[in-house]
Amino acid sequence: MQFDINATTILIIIGVLLVSMTVHEAMHALVGLKLGDDTAAEQGRISLNPLKHIDPFMTVLLPGILLALGLPPILAAKPVPFDPDRVKYEEFGAAMIAAAGPFSNLLLALLAAGIGKVVGVSGILDVILTTFVYLNVALFVFNLLPIPPLDGSRVLYAFAPEPLQRVLAQIEPFGFFVLIALIFSGVLGPLITALNGAVLQYLL
């Protein structure tokens, strides 16, 4: 994504991230409700209000600190709660709730790419739509990585044999630190770049 980094670009990126994050989290909550668990709905998480999904540390403070240190920003929304005992289809229901978030980002990327191709926008609208495509593809790919606490780990858990399920359960309490270590070690970078490129090939 070749943009000049200026105030307008930064505002566009922030706006796109807020919209994309909000849709992602709201879809987790909505699918949970459809599968019989109203835990997230009762907390007001089926909402397109970004304030319902912002976590003061993970969404604001942590990425701000990392940017100030010249490091890649890592941010996450407030986790959407669910009660596995109330969800239909047991582990597969939990996997459907988890997958709803990343696939909502893929849908946003498809819509933005489709609008760009059909309407043929230019200027600032082209920047906004292109940002929507790139950032939502990145959110789709990143969140589907099978590493706790990312959504992909919950999807993998539903289909994994029992020994692997036990490993995932043991990793989960420390998953955030494992993820940070993998990111800053450079292990995940090439993989994520390749996966992003593969998805973008079909959209742009």
Side-chain angles (χ1 to χ4, degrees):
M1 188 162 47
Q2 301 296 323
F3 296 146
D4 293 328
I5 301 301
N6 52 42
T8 301
T9 302
I10 291 171
L11 287 174
I12 290 172
I13 291 172
I14 291 172
V16 170
L17 280 173
L18 283 175
V19 171
S20 305
M21 175 193 74
T22 298
V23 172
H24 179 114
E25 301 302 329
M27 285 303 298
H28 281 317
L30 179 60
V31 172
L33 180 64
K34 295 295 185 183
L35 291 176
D37 179 23
D38 62 358
T39 304
E42 289 181 347
Q43 296 184 17
R45 300 301 298 277
I46 304 178
S47 172
L48 295 180
N49 177 2
L51 296 178
K52 294 285 188 180
H53 308 289
I54 288 175
D55 178 87
F57 178 73
M58 290 298 299
T59 315
V60 181
L61 188 58
L62 178 61
I65 291 171
L66 291 174
L67 283 171
L69 294 173
L71 298 171
I74 298 171
L75 74 157
K78 187 191 306 181
V80 171
F82 80 98
D83 184 346
D85 294 328
R86 300 170 66 183
V87 174
K88 295 177 184 176
Y89 315 124
E90 301 178 334
E91 294 163 2
F92 298 102
M96 291 167 66
I97 294 172
F103 278 94
S104 71
N105 293 125
L106 180 61
L107 179 59
L108 287 175
L110 285 166
L111 288 173
I115 292 171
K117 288 179 180 178
V118 172
V119 178
V121 296
S122 61
I124 190 70
L125 288 177
D126 181 48
V127 174
I128 292 171
L129 288 175
T130 303
T131 303
F132 254 101
V133 173
Y134 275 81
L135 290 184
N136 276 284
V137 166
L139 288 169
F140 167 71
V141 168
F142 182 71
N143 279 287
L144 277 183
L145 293 175
I147 304 168
L150 298 177
D151 297 322
S153 68
R154 180 63 64 181
V155 176
L156 174 61
Y157 188 90
F159 297 94
E162 189 173 338
L164 181 54
Q165 287 182 338
R166 287 198 295 268
V167 171
L168 290 170
Q170 291 171 350
I171 292 174
E172 189 162 6
F174 315 102
F176 178 75
F177 301 103
V178 172
L179 183 62
I180 295 290
L182 289 172
I183 289 171
F184 287 109
S185 69
V187 172
L188 284 183
L191 173 63
I192 292 173
T193 299
L195 291 173
N196 283 349
V199 177
L200 286 167
Q201 260 192 317
Y202 294 98
L203 297 182
L204 297 177

